Amino acid sequence: MTILHALFLGLLQGFTEFLPVSSSGHLVLSEAFFGIPQNAKDMQAFDVILHAGSLLAIVVVYIDTWKTIFQNHTD
């Protein structure tokens, strides 16, 4: 996989994660469309890393909101 492929798949994951479509499905279709030469196990690990990045982004963006919610809940 080239860096350009990885960048494209990362951007695709980021854009489709919050839409009412399957971001995982888009990754699989894109990998097949571009003919990315990786075995299934490596691609699965890469897809998991992309999903973990999406989760990390959500945590970073909403951490202050969650802190406020939990602080107000305990009062």
Side-chain angles (χ1 to χ4, degrees):
M1 176 184 317
T2 67
I3 294 198
L4 185 60
H5 285 140
L7 181 62
F8 173 76
L9 292 173
L11 289 172
L12 181 66
Q13 168 66 22
F15 288 132
T16 59
E17 182 65 32
F18 302 104
L19 297 175
V21 296
S22 173
S23 60
S24 298
H26 279 83
L27 288 174
V28 170
L29 290 174
S30 296
E31 292 161 3
F33 179 76
F34 287 116
I36 297 174
Q38 294 289 332
N39 64 37
K41 189 174 183 178
D42 289 342
M43 288 311 298
Q44 184 179 23
F46 183 74
D47 291 350
V48 168
I49 290 169
L50 290 177
H51 281 52
S54 296
L55 177 61
L56 180 62
I58 291 169
V59 169
V60 168
V61 168
Y62 289 106
I63 193 72
D64 291 333
T65 303
W66 291 338
K67 283 181 185 177
T68 302
I69 290 170
F70 289 125
Q71 287 173 350
N72 290 339
H73 180 68
T74 59
D75 290 340

Short mmCIF file of all heavy atoms in Angstrom, two decimals:
data_model
loop_
_atom_site.label_atom_id
_atom_site.label_comp_id
_atom_site.label_asym_id
_atom_site.label_seq_id
_atom_site.Cartn_x
_atom_site.Cartn_y
_atom_site.Cartn_z
N MET A 1 0.85 -1.17 0.00
CA MET A 1 0.00 0.00 0.00
C MET A 1 0.89 1.23 0.00
O MET A 1 1.85 1.31 0.76
CB MET A 1 -0.89 0.00 1.24
CG MET A 1 -1.73 1.24 1.37
SD MET A 1 -2.73 1.39 2.86
CE MET A 1 -3.41 -0.19 3.07
N THR A 2 0.56 2.18 -0.83
CA THR A 2 1.34 3.42 -0.86
C THR A 2 0.81 4.39 0.18
O THR A 2 -0.28 4.22 0.72
CB THR A 2 1.25 4.08 -2.25
OG1 THR A 2 -0.10 4.52 -2.46
CG2 THR A 2 1.68 3.13 -3.35
N ILE A 3 1.58 5.40 0.45
CA ILE A 3 1.15 6.43 1.40
C ILE A 3 -0.09 7.15 0.86
O ILE A 3 -0.99 7.50 1.62
CB ILE A 3 2.30 7.41 1.69
CG1 ILE A 3 3.38 6.66 2.42
CG2 ILE A 3 1.80 8.62 2.45
CD1 ILE A 3 4.39 7.44 3.15
N LEU A 4 -0.14 7.33 -0.45
CA LEU A 4 -1.31 7.97 -1.06
C LEU A 4 -2.56 7.13 -0.84
O LEU A 4 -3.62 7.67 -0.51
CB LEU A 4 -1.06 8.20 -2.55
CG LEU A 4 -2.14 8.97 -3.29
CD1 LEU A 4 -2.32 10.36 -2.70
CD2 LEU A 4 -1.81 9.08 -4.77
N HIS A 5 -2.45 5.81 -0.99
CA HIS A 5 -3.59 4.93 -0.72
C HIS A 5 -4.01 5.05 0.74
O HIS A 5 -5.21 5.15 1.04
CB HIS A 5 -3.24 3.47 -1.01
CG HIS A 5 -3.20 3.13 -2.45
ND1 HIS A 5 -2.24 2.31 -2.98
CD2 HIS A 5 -3.98 3.50 -3.49
CE1 HIS A 5 -2.43 2.17 -4.27
NE2 HIS A 5 -3.48 2.90 -4.60
N ALA A 6 -3.05 5.01 1.65
CA ALA A 6 -3.37 5.10 3.07
C ALA A 6 -4.02 6.43 3.41
O ALA A 6 -4.99 6.48 4.18
CB ALA A 6 -2.10 4.91 3.90
N LEU A 7 -3.54 7.51 2.84
CA LEU A 7 -4.12 8.83 3.07
C LEU A 7 -5.55 8.88 2.54
O LEU A 7 -6.46 9.36 3.23
CB LEU A 7 -3.26 9.90 2.40
CG LEU A 7 -3.74 11.34 2.58
CD1 LEU A 7 -3.74 11.74 4.04
CD2 LEU A 7 -2.85 12.28 1.78
N PHE A 8 -5.76 8.36 1.34
CA PHE A 8 -7.10 8.35 0.77
C PHE A 8 -8.06 7.54 1.64
O PHE A 8 -9.17 7.99 1.93
CB PHE A 8 -7.09 7.79 -0.66
CG PHE A 8 -8.46 7.61 -1.22
CD1 PHE A 8 -9.18 8.71 -1.67
CD2 PHE A 8 -9.05 6.35 -1.27
CE1 PHE A 8 -10.46 8.55 -2.17
CE2 PHE A 8 -10.32 6.18 -1.77
CZ PHE A 8 -11.03 7.29 -2.22
N LEU A 9 -7.65 6.35 2.07
CA LEU A 9 -8.52 5.52 2.90
C LEU A 9 -8.80 6.18 4.25
O LEU A 9 -9.91 6.10 4.77
CB LEU A 9 -7.90 4.14 3.09
CG LEU A 9 -7.84 3.27 1.83
CD1 LEU A 9 -7.06 1.99 2.12
CD2 LEU A 9 -9.23 2.96 1.31
N GLY A 10 -7.81 6.85 4.81
CA GLY A 10 -8.02 7.58 6.07
C GLY A 10 -9.02 8.70 5.91
O GLY A 10 -9.90 8.90 6.75
N LEU A 11 -8.90 9.45 4.83
CA LEU A 11 -9.86 10.53 4.58
C LEU A 11 -11.25 9.98 4.32
O LEU A 11 -12.25 10.52 4.81
CB LEU A 11 -9.39 11.38 3.39
CG LEU A 11 -8.17 12.26 3.64
CD1 LEU A 11 -7.70 12.89 2.33
CD2 LEU A 11 -8.49 13.33 4.66
N LEU A 12 -11.33 8.90 3.56
CA LEU A 12 -12.62 8.28 3.29
C LEU A 12 -13.28 7.81 4.59
O LEU A 12 -14.47 8.02 4.80
CB LEU A 12 -12.44 7.10 2.33
CG LEU A 12 -13.71 6.36 1.94
CD1 LEU A 12 -14.61 7.27 1.10
CD2 LEU A 12 -13.36 5.10 1.16
N GLN A 13 -12.50 7.20 5.45
CA GLN A 13 -13.02 6.76 6.75
C GLN A 13 -13.53 7.95 7.56
O GLN A 13 -14.61 7.91 8.12
CB GLN A 13 -11.93 6.02 7.54
CG GLN A 13 -12.24 5.78 8.99
CD GLN A 13 -13.39 4.85 9.23
OE1 GLN A 13 -13.74 4.05 8.36
NE2 GLN A 13 -13.99 4.92 10.39
N GLY A 14 -12.76 9.02 7.59
CA GLY A 14 -13.16 10.20 8.35
C GLY A 14 -14.42 10.84 7.81
O GLY A 14 -15.29 11.27 8.58
N PHE A 15 -14.57 10.90 6.50
CA PHE A 15 -15.75 11.53 5.91
C PHE A 15 -17.00 10.67 6.05
O PHE A 15 -18.09 11.18 6.23
CB PHE A 15 -15.52 11.85 4.43
CG PHE A 15 -14.58 12.99 4.20
CD1 PHE A 15 -13.55 12.87 3.28
CD2 PHE A 15 -14.71 14.18 4.88
CE1 PHE A 15 -12.67 13.91 3.06
CE2 PHE A 15 -13.84 15.23 4.68
CZ PHE A 15 -12.82 15.11 3.76
N THR A 16 -16.85 9.35 5.95
CA THR A 16 -18.03 8.50 5.96
C THR A 16 -18.41 7.97 7.34
O THR A 16 -19.48 7.40 7.50
CB THR A 16 -17.85 7.29 5.00
OG1 THR A 16 -16.71 6.54 5.42
CG2 THR A 16 -17.69 7.76 3.57
N GLU A 17 -17.56 8.17 8.33
CA GLU A 17 -17.85 7.63 9.67
C GLU A 17 -19.14 8.20 10.24
O GLU A 17 -19.90 7.49 10.89
CB GLU A 17 -16.68 7.92 10.61
CG GLU A 17 -16.87 7.35 11.99
CD GLU A 17 -16.92 5.83 12.00
OE1 GLU A 17 -16.26 5.19 11.17
OE2 GLU A 17 -17.63 5.27 12.87
N PHE A 18 -19.41 9.46 10.00
CA PHE A 18 -20.55 10.10 10.64
C PHE A 18 -21.75 10.24 9.71
O PHE A 18 -22.73 10.88 10.05
CB PHE A 18 -20.13 11.45 11.20
CG PHE A 18 -19.01 11.31 12.18
CD1 PHE A 18 -17.71 11.63 11.83
CD2 PHE A 18 -19.23 10.79 13.44
CE1 PHE A 18 -16.67 11.46 12.72
CE2 PHE A 18 -18.21 10.61 14.33
CZ PHE A 18 -16.92 10.95 13.98
N LEU A 19 -21.67 9.66 8.54
CA LEU A 19 -22.80 9.65 7.61
C LEU A 19 -23.59 8.35 7.80
O LEU A 19 -23.04 7.36 8.28
CB LEU A 19 -22.29 9.73 6.16
CG LEU A 19 -21.53 10.99 5.78
CD1 LEU A 19 -21.00 10.86 4.36
CD2 LEU A 19 -22.41 12.21 5.91
N PRO A 20 -24.85 8.37 7.42
CA PRO A 20 -25.65 7.13 7.59
C PRO A 20 -25.37 6.11 6.49
O PRO A 20 -26.27 5.62 5.83
CB PRO A 20 -27.09 7.66 7.52
CG PRO A 20 -27.01 8.89 6.71
CD PRO A 20 -25.66 9.50 7.01
N VAL A 21 -24.11 5.85 6.27
CA VAL A 21 -23.65 4.83 5.32
C VAL A 21 -22.58 4.01 6.03
O VAL A 21 -22.05 4.41 7.05
CB VAL A 21 -23.07 5.45 4.03
CG1 VAL A 21 -24.14 6.21 3.27
CG2 VAL A 21 -21.90 6.37 4.32
N SER A 22 -22.23 2.89 5.47
CA SER A 22 -21.23 2.03 6.08
C SER A 22 -19.82 2.50 5.72
O SER A 22 -19.38 2.36 4.58
CB SER A 22 -21.43 0.59 5.60
OG SER A 22 -20.36 -0.21 6.05
N SER A 23 -19.13 3.05 6.69
CA SER A 23 -17.74 3.47 6.43
C SER A 23 -16.86 2.25 6.18
O SER A 23 -15.96 2.29 5.35
CB SER A 23 -17.20 4.29 7.60
OG SER A 23 -17.20 3.54 8.80
N SER A 24 -17.15 1.14 6.85
CA SER A 24 -16.38 -0.09 6.62
C SER A 24 -16.61 -0.60 5.20
O SER A 24 -15.68 -1.06 4.54
CB SER A 24 -16.79 -1.17 7.62
OG SER A 24 -16.51 -0.75 8.93
N GLY A 25 -17.84 -0.53 4.75
CA GLY A 25 -18.15 -0.96 3.39
C GLY A 25 -17.43 -0.12 2.35
O GLY A 25 -16.93 -0.63 1.36
N HIS A 26 -17.37 1.18 2.60
CA HIS A 26 -16.66 2.06 1.67
C HIS A 26 -15.17 1.72 1.63
O HIS A 26 -14.53 1.80 0.59
CB HIS A 26 -16.86 3.53 2.04
CG HIS A 26 -18.15 4.09 1.56
ND1 HIS A 26 -19.33 3.92 2.25
CD2 HIS A 26 -18.46 4.78 0.44
CE1 HIS A 26 -20.30 4.51 1.58
NE2 HIS A 26 -19.80 5.03 0.47
N LEU A 27 -14.61 1.38 2.78
CA LEU A 27 -13.20 1.01 2.81
C LEU A 27 -12.95 -0.26 1.98
O LEU A 27 -12.02 -0.31 1.19
CB LEU A 27 -12.73 0.79 4.25
CG LEU A 27 -12.59 2.04 5.10
CD1 LEU A 27 -12.26 1.65 6.54
CD2 LEU A 27 -11.54 2.97 4.55
N VAL A 28 -13.81 -1.26 2.16
CA VAL A 28 -13.64 -2.53 1.44
C VAL A 28 -13.78 -2.29 -0.06
O VAL A 28 -12.97 -2.79 -0.86
CB VAL A 28 -14.66 -3.57 1.93
CG1 VAL A 28 -14.67 -4.80 1.03
CG2 VAL A 28 -14.36 -3.96 3.36
N LEU A 29 -14.80 -1.54 -0.46
CA LEU A 29 -15.00 -1.26 -1.89
C LEU A 29 -13.83 -0.48 -2.48
O LEU A 29 -13.38 -0.76 -3.58
CB LEU A 29 -16.31 -0.51 -2.10
CG LEU A 29 -17.59 -1.31 -1.87
CD1 LEU A 29 -18.81 -0.40 -1.97
CD2 LEU A 29 -17.68 -2.47 -2.82
N SER A 30 -13.34 0.51 -1.74
CA SER A 30 -12.22 1.32 -2.23
C SER A 30 -10.95 0.49 -2.35
O SER A 30 -10.19 0.65 -3.31
CB SER A 30 -11.97 2.51 -1.30
OG SER A 30 -13.08 3.36 -1.30
N GLU A 31 -10.71 -0.36 -1.37
CA GLU A 31 -9.53 -1.22 -1.43
C GLU A 31 -9.59 -2.14 -2.65
O GLU A 31 -8.58 -2.34 -3.34
CB GLU A 31 -9.42 -2.04 -0.14
CG GLU A 31 -9.10 -1.18 1.07
CD GLU A 31 -9.43 -1.84 2.40
OE1 GLU A 31 -9.86 -3.02 2.40
OE2 GLU A 31 -9.28 -1.18 3.44
N ALA A 32 -10.77 -2.68 -2.93
CA ALA A 32 -10.92 -3.55 -4.11
C ALA A 32 -10.81 -2.74 -5.40
O ALA A 32 -10.17 -3.17 -6.36
CB ALA A 32 -12.27 -4.26 -4.04
N PHE A 33 -11.42 -1.55 -5.43
CA PHE A 33 -11.41 -0.72 -6.62
C PHE A 33 -9.99 -0.31 -7.01
O PHE A 33 -9.61 -0.34 -8.18
CB PHE A 33 -12.27 0.52 -6.40
CG PHE A 33 -12.31 1.45 -7.57
CD1 PHE A 33 -13.07 1.16 -8.69
CD2 PHE A 33 -11.58 2.64 -7.56
CE1 PHE A 33 -13.11 2.01 -9.78
CE2 PHE A 33 -11.61 3.50 -8.63
CZ PHE A 33 -12.38 3.19 -9.76
N PHE A 34 -9.20 0.09 -6.02
CA PHE A 34 -7.83 0.51 -6.29
C PHE A 34 -6.86 -0.66 -6.38
O PHE A 34 -5.69 -0.48 -6.69
CB PHE A 34 -7.35 1.49 -5.23
CG PHE A 34 -7.98 2.85 -5.34
CD1 PHE A 34 -8.79 3.34 -4.33
CD2 PHE A 34 -7.76 3.64 -6.45
CE1 PHE A 34 -9.38 4.58 -4.43
CE2 PHE A 34 -8.34 4.88 -6.57
CZ PHE A 34 -9.15 5.35 -5.56
N GLY A 35 -7.34 -1.86 -6.08
CA GLY A 35 -6.47 -3.04 -6.16
C GLY A 35 -5.29 -2.95 -5.23
O GLY A 35 -4.17 -3.27 -5.61
N ILE A 36 -5.52 -2.52 -4.01
CA ILE A 36 -4.43 -2.36 -3.05
C ILE A 36 -3.87 -3.74 -2.72
O ILE A 36 -4.58 -4.62 -2.24
CB ILE A 36 -4.92 -1.63 -1.79
CG1 ILE A 36 -5.38 -0.22 -2.17
CG2 ILE A 36 -3.84 -1.59 -0.73
CD1 ILE A 36 -6.02 0.55 -1.05
N PRO A 37 -2.59 -3.95 -2.99
CA PRO A 37 -1.99 -5.29 -2.85
C PRO A 37 -1.60 -5.61 -1.40
O PRO A 37 -0.44 -5.48 -1.02
CB PRO A 37 -0.76 -5.21 -3.75
CG PRO A 37 -0.37 -3.76 -3.69
CD PRO A 37 -1.65 -2.99 -3.55
N GLN A 38 -2.56 -6.01 -0.60
CA GLN A 38 -2.29 -6.43 0.77
C GLN A 38 -3.10 -7.69 1.03
O GLN A 38 -4.16 -7.89 0.44
CB GLN A 38 -2.72 -5.34 1.77
CG GLN A 38 -1.93 -4.07 1.69
CD GLN A 38 -0.52 -4.22 2.20
OE1 GLN A 38 -0.25 -5.05 3.05
NE2 GLN A 38 0.40 -3.44 1.67
N ASN A 39 -2.64 -8.49 1.96
CA ASN A 39 -3.45 -9.65 2.31
C ASN A 39 -4.58 -9.20 3.24
O ASN A 39 -4.56 -8.11 3.81
CB ASN A 39 -2.61 -10.77 2.92
CG ASN A 39 -1.97 -10.39 4.24
OD1 ASN A 39 -2.56 -9.69 5.05
ND2 ASN A 39 -0.75 -10.86 4.45
N ALA A 40 -5.58 -10.05 3.38
CA ALA A 40 -6.79 -9.69 4.12
C ALA A 40 -6.50 -9.35 5.58
O ALA A 40 -7.10 -8.43 6.14
CB ALA A 40 -7.81 -10.81 4.04
N LYS A 41 -5.57 -10.05 6.19
CA LYS A 41 -5.25 -9.81 7.61
C LYS A 41 -4.63 -8.43 7.80
O LYS A 41 -4.98 -7.71 8.74
CB LYS A 41 -4.32 -10.91 8.12
CG LYS A 41 -4.12 -10.87 9.61
CD LYS A 41 -3.31 -12.07 10.08
CE LYS A 41 -3.18 -12.05 11.58
NZ LYS A 41 -2.46 -13.21 12.07
N ASP A 42 -3.73 -8.04 6.92
CA ASP A 42 -3.10 -6.72 7.01
C ASP A 42 -4.13 -5.62 6.77
O ASP A 42 -4.12 -4.59 7.45
CB ASP A 42 -1.96 -6.58 6.01
CG ASP A 42 -0.75 -7.41 6.38
OD1 ASP A 42 -0.64 -7.83 7.56
OD2 ASP A 42 0.08 -7.66 5.49
N MET A 43 -5.02 -5.81 5.82
CA MET A 43 -6.04 -4.79 5.53
C MET A 43 -7.01 -4.67 6.70
O MET A 43 -7.45 -3.58 7.03
CB MET A 43 -6.80 -5.11 4.24
CG MET A 43 -5.98 -4.89 2.99
SD MET A 43 -5.11 -3.30 2.89
CE MET A 43 -6.45 -2.15 2.92
N GLN A 44 -7.34 -5.79 7.33
CA GLN A 44 -8.24 -5.75 8.48
C GLN A 44 -7.58 -4.97 9.61
O GLN A 44 -8.23 -4.15 10.26
CB GLN A 44 -8.58 -7.16 8.93
CG GLN A 44 -9.58 -7.19 10.06
CD GLN A 44 -9.93 -8.61 10.47
OE1 GLN A 44 -9.16 -9.55 10.25
NE2 GLN A 44 -11.09 -8.77 11.06
N ALA A 45 -6.31 -5.20 9.85
CA ALA A 45 -5.59 -4.47 10.89
C ALA A 45 -5.55 -2.97 10.57
O ALA A 45 -5.75 -2.13 11.46
CB ALA A 45 -4.18 -5.01 11.04
N PHE A 46 -5.33 -2.64 9.30
CA PHE A 46 -5.31 -1.24 8.90
C PHE A 46 -6.68 -0.60 9.10
O PHE A 46 -6.79 0.52 9.59
CB PHE A 46 -4.87 -1.12 7.44
CG PHE A 46 -4.75 0.30 6.96
CD1 PHE A 46 -3.71 1.10 7.37
CD2 PHE A 46 -5.71 0.84 6.11
CE1 PHE A 46 -3.61 2.42 6.93
CE2 PHE A 46 -5.62 2.13 5.67
CZ PHE A 46 -4.56 2.93 6.08
N ASP A 47 -7.74 -1.31 8.75
CA ASP A 47 -9.10 -0.79 8.94
C ASP A 47 -9.41 -0.56 10.42
O ASP A 47 -10.05 0.42 10.79
CB ASP A 47 -10.13 -1.73 8.32
CG ASP A 47 -10.07 -1.76 6.81
OD1 ASP A 47 -9.37 -0.91 6.21
OD2 ASP A 47 -10.73 -2.64 6.21
N VAL A 48 -8.95 -1.47 11.28
CA VAL A 48 -9.15 -1.30 12.72
C VAL A 48 -8.43 -0.04 13.21
O VAL A 48 -8.96 0.72 14.02
CB VAL A 48 -8.69 -2.55 13.49
CG1 VAL A 48 -8.62 -2.29 14.99
CG2 VAL A 48 -9.62 -3.72 13.20
N ILE A 49 -7.24 0.20 12.71
CA ILE A 49 -6.49 1.40 13.08
C ILE A 49 -7.23 2.65 12.63
O ILE A 49 -7.31 3.64 13.36
CB ILE A 49 -5.06 1.35 12.51
CG1 ILE A 49 -4.25 0.29 13.23
CG2 ILE A 49 -4.37 2.71 12.61
CD1 ILE A 49 -2.92 -0.04 12.58
N LEU A 50 -7.81 2.62 11.43
CA LEU A 50 -8.59 3.77 10.96
C LEU A 50 -9.80 4.01 11.86
O LEU A 50 -10.11 5.16 12.20
CB LEU A 50 -9.06 3.54 9.52
CG LEU A 50 -8.00 3.58 8.43
CD1 LEU A 50 -8.63 3.27 7.08
CD2 LEU A 50 -7.32 4.94 8.39
N HIS A 51 -10.48 2.95 12.28
CA HIS A 51 -11.63 3.11 13.17
C HIS A 51 -11.20 3.63 14.54
O HIS A 51 -11.89 4.44 15.15
CB HIS A 51 -12.38 1.79 13.30
CG HIS A 51 -13.27 1.48 12.14
ND1 HIS A 51 -12.83 1.50 10.84
CD2 HIS A 51 -14.57 1.14 12.07
CE1 HIS A 51 -13.82 1.19 10.03
NE2 HIS A 51 -14.89 0.97 10.75
N ALA A 52 -10.05 3.17 15.01
CA ALA A 52 -9.53 3.67 16.29
C ALA A 52 -9.22 5.16 16.20
O ALA A 52 -9.44 5.91 17.15
CB ALA A 52 -8.29 2.88 16.70
N GLY A 53 -8.72 5.59 15.05
CA GLY A 53 -8.47 7.01 14.84
C GLY A 53 -9.75 7.82 14.89
O GLY A 53 -9.78 8.93 15.45
N SER A 54 -10.83 7.28 14.33
CA SER A 54 -12.13 7.96 14.40
C SER A 54 -12.60 8.06 15.85
O SER A 54 -13.10 9.11 16.27
CB SER A 54 -13.18 7.20 13.59
OG SER A 54 -12.86 7.20 12.23
N LEU A 55 -12.44 6.99 16.60
CA LEU A 55 -12.83 7.00 18.01
C LEU A 55 -12.01 8.02 18.80
O LEU A 55 -12.55 8.78 19.61
CB LEU A 55 -12.67 5.61 18.62
CG LEU A 55 -12.98 5.49 20.11
CD1 LEU A 55 -14.43 5.85 20.38
CD2 LEU A 55 -12.67 4.09 20.59
N LEU A 56 -10.72 8.07 18.54
CA LEU A 56 -9.85 9.04 19.22
C LEU A 56 -10.28 10.47 18.90
O LEU A 56 -10.31 11.33 19.79
CB LEU A 56 -8.39 8.81 18.84
CG LEU A 56 -7.38 9.75 19.47
CD1 LEU A 56 -7.38 9.61 20.99
CD2 LEU A 56 -6.00 9.49 18.92
N ALA A 57 -10.64 10.72 17.65
CA ALA A 57 -11.09 12.06 17.26
C ALA A 57 -12.36 12.45 18.02
O ALA A 57 -12.50 13.58 18.47
CB ALA A 57 -11.33 12.12 15.75
N ILE A 58 -13.28 11.50 18.18
CA ILE A 58 -14.51 11.78 18.91
C ILE A 58 -14.19 12.11 20.37
O ILE A 58 -14.74 13.05 20.94
CB ILE A 58 -15.47 10.58 18.83
CG1 ILE A 58 -15.99 10.44 17.41
CG2 ILE A 58 -16.63 10.73 19.81
CD1 ILE A 58 -16.74 9.15 17.17
N VAL A 59 -13.31 11.34 20.97
CA VAL A 59 -12.94 11.57 22.37
C VAL A 59 -12.32 12.96 22.52
O VAL A 59 -12.66 13.71 23.44
CB VAL A 59 -11.99 10.47 22.88
CG1 VAL A 59 -11.39 10.83 24.23
CG2 VAL A 59 -12.73 9.14 22.96
N VAL A 60 -11.41 13.31 21.63
CA VAL A 60 -10.73 14.61 21.72
C VAL A 60 -11.72 15.76 21.55
O VAL A 60 -11.70 16.73 22.30
CB VAL A 60 -9.59 14.70 20.67
CG1 VAL A 60 -9.08 16.11 20.53
CG2 VAL A 60 -8.47 13.75 21.03
N VAL A 61 -12.63 15.64 20.60
CA VAL A 61 -13.57 16.73 20.32
C VAL A 61 -14.57 16.90 21.47
O VAL A 61 -14.90 18.03 21.84
CB VAL A 61 -14.30 16.48 18.99
CG1 VAL A 61 -15.48 17.41 18.82
CG2 VAL A 61 -13.33 16.64 17.82
N TYR A 62 -15.04 15.81 22.05
CA TYR A 62 -16.12 15.89 23.04
C TYR A 62 -15.67 15.73 24.48
O TYR A 62 -16.52 15.66 25.37
CB TYR A 62 -17.19 14.86 22.71
CG TYR A 62 -17.96 15.21 21.48
CD1 TYR A 62 -17.77 14.53 20.30
CD2 TYR A 62 -18.90 16.24 21.50
CE1 TYR A 62 -18.47 14.87 19.16
CE2 TYR A 62 -19.61 16.59 20.37
CZ TYR A 62 -19.39 15.89 19.20
OH TYR A 62 -20.09 16.23 18.08
N ILE A 63 -14.39 15.69 24.77
CA ILE A 63 -13.92 15.45 26.14
C ILE A 63 -14.43 16.51 27.12
O ILE A 63 -14.85 16.18 28.23
CB ILE A 63 -12.38 15.31 26.21
CG1 ILE A 63 -11.94 14.77 27.56
CG2 ILE A 63 -11.69 16.63 25.93
CD1 ILE A 63 -12.26 13.32 27.75
N ASP A 64 -14.43 17.77 26.72
CA ASP A 64 -14.92 18.81 27.62
C ASP A 64 -16.42 18.67 27.89
O ASP A 64 -16.88 18.87 29.02
CB ASP A 64 -14.63 20.21 27.05
CG ASP A 64 -13.14 20.52 27.05
OD1 ASP A 64 -12.41 19.97 27.91
OD2 ASP A 64 -12.71 21.30 26.19
N THR A 65 -17.16 18.31 26.88
CA THR A 65 -18.61 18.10 27.05
C THR A 65 -18.85 16.95 28.00
O THR A 65 -19.72 17.04 28.89
CB THR A 65 -19.26 17.81 25.68
OG1 THR A 65 -18.99 18.89 24.81
CG2 THR A 65 -20.76 17.61 25.82
N TRP A 66 -18.14 15.85 27.84
CA TRP A 66 -18.33 14.71 28.72
C TRP A 66 -17.92 15.03 30.14
O TRP A 66 -18.56 14.59 31.09
CB TRP A 66 -17.56 13.50 28.21
CG TRP A 66 -18.13 12.95 26.94
CD1 TRP A 66 -19.41 13.11 26.47
CD2 TRP A 66 -17.46 12.17 25.98
NE1 TRP A 66 -19.54 12.46 25.28
CE2 TRP A 66 -18.37 11.88 24.94
CE3 TRP A 66 -16.17 11.68 25.87
CZ2 TRP A 66 -18.04 11.12 23.84
CZ3 TRP A 66 -15.83 10.93 24.76
CH2 TRP A 66 -16.76 10.65 23.77
N LYS A 67 -16.84 15.81 30.33
CA LYS A 67 -16.44 16.22 31.67
C LYS A 67 -17.54 17.02 32.34
O LYS A 67 -17.87 16.80 33.50
CB LYS A 67 -15.15 17.06 31.61
CG LYS A 67 -13.90 16.27 31.39
CD LYS A 67 -12.71 17.21 31.36
CE LYS A 67 -11.43 16.52 31.02
NZ LYS A 67 -10.30 17.45 30.94
N THR A 68 -18.13 17.96 31.58
CA THR A 68 -19.22 18.78 32.13
C THR A 68 -20.42 17.91 32.49
O THR A 68 -21.01 18.08 33.56
CB THR A 68 -19.64 19.85 31.09
OG1 THR A 68 -18.50 20.64 30.77
CG2 THR A 68 -20.76 20.72 31.62
N ILE A 69 -20.78 16.99 31.64
CA ILE A 69 -21.92 16.11 31.93
C ILE A 69 -21.67 15.29 33.17
O ILE A 69 -22.54 15.21 34.07
CB ILE A 69 -22.19 15.19 30.72
CG1 ILE A 69 -22.76 16.00 29.56
CG2 ILE A 69 -23.15 14.06 31.11
CD1 ILE A 69 -22.85 15.23 28.25
N PHE A 70 -20.49 14.69 33.30
CA PHE A 70 -20.21 13.86 34.46
C PHE A 70 -20.07 14.69 35.73
O PHE A 70 -20.48 14.24 36.82
CB PHE A 70 -18.96 13.01 34.24
CG PHE A 70 -19.17 11.90 33.24
CD1 PHE A 70 -18.33 11.79 32.14
CD2 PHE A 70 -20.20 11.00 33.39
CE1 PHE A 70 -18.52 10.78 31.21
CE2 PHE A 70 -20.40 9.98 32.47
CZ PHE A 70 -19.56 9.87 31.38
N GLN A 71 -19.53 15.90 35.65
CA GLN A 71 -19.43 16.75 36.84
C GLN A 71 -20.80 17.19 37.30
O GLN A 71 -21.08 17.22 38.51
CB GLN A 71 -18.54 17.96 36.54
CG GLN A 71 -17.08 17.61 36.43
CD GLN A 71 -16.23 18.78 35.97
OE1 GLN A 71 -16.75 19.81 35.55
NE2 GLN A 71 -14.91 18.60 36.01
N ASN A 72 -21.68 17.55 36.40
CA ASN A 72 -23.03 17.98 36.77
C ASN A 72 -23.87 16.82 37.26
O ASN A 72 -24.78 17.00 38.07
CB ASN A 72 -23.72 18.67 35.58
CG ASN A 72 -23.11 20.01 35.26
OD1 ASN A 72 -22.46 20.62 36.11
ND2 ASN A 72 -23.29 20.45 34.03
N HIS A 73 -23.57 15.63 36.78
CA HIS A 73 -24.34 14.46 37.18
C HIS A 73 -24.04 14.08 38.63
O HIS A 73 -24.89 13.58 39.33
CB HIS A 73 -24.03 13.29 36.25
CG HIS A 73 -24.77 12.04 36.59
ND1 HIS A 73 -26.15 11.93 36.45
CD2 HIS A 73 -24.36 10.85 37.09
CE1 HIS A 73 -26.53 10.72 36.83
NE2 HIS A 73 -25.46 10.05 37.23
N THR A 74 -22.80 14.30 39.06
CA THR A 74 -22.41 13.91 40.41
C THR A 74 -22.80 14.94 41.45
O THR A 74 -22.77 14.66 42.63
CB THR A 74 -20.89 13.66 40.49
OG1 THR A 74 -20.20 14.85 40.11
CG2 THR A 74 -20.49 12.51 39.61
N ASP A 75 -23.18 16.15 41.02
CA ASP A 75 -23.56 17.20 42.00
C ASP A 75 -24.93 16.98 42.55
O ASP A 75 -25.82 16.45 42.08
CB ASP A 75 -23.49 18.58 41.33
CG ASP A 75 -22.05 18.98 41.06
OD1 ASP A 75 -21.16 18.41 41.69
OD2 ASP A 75 -21.84 19.85 40.20
#
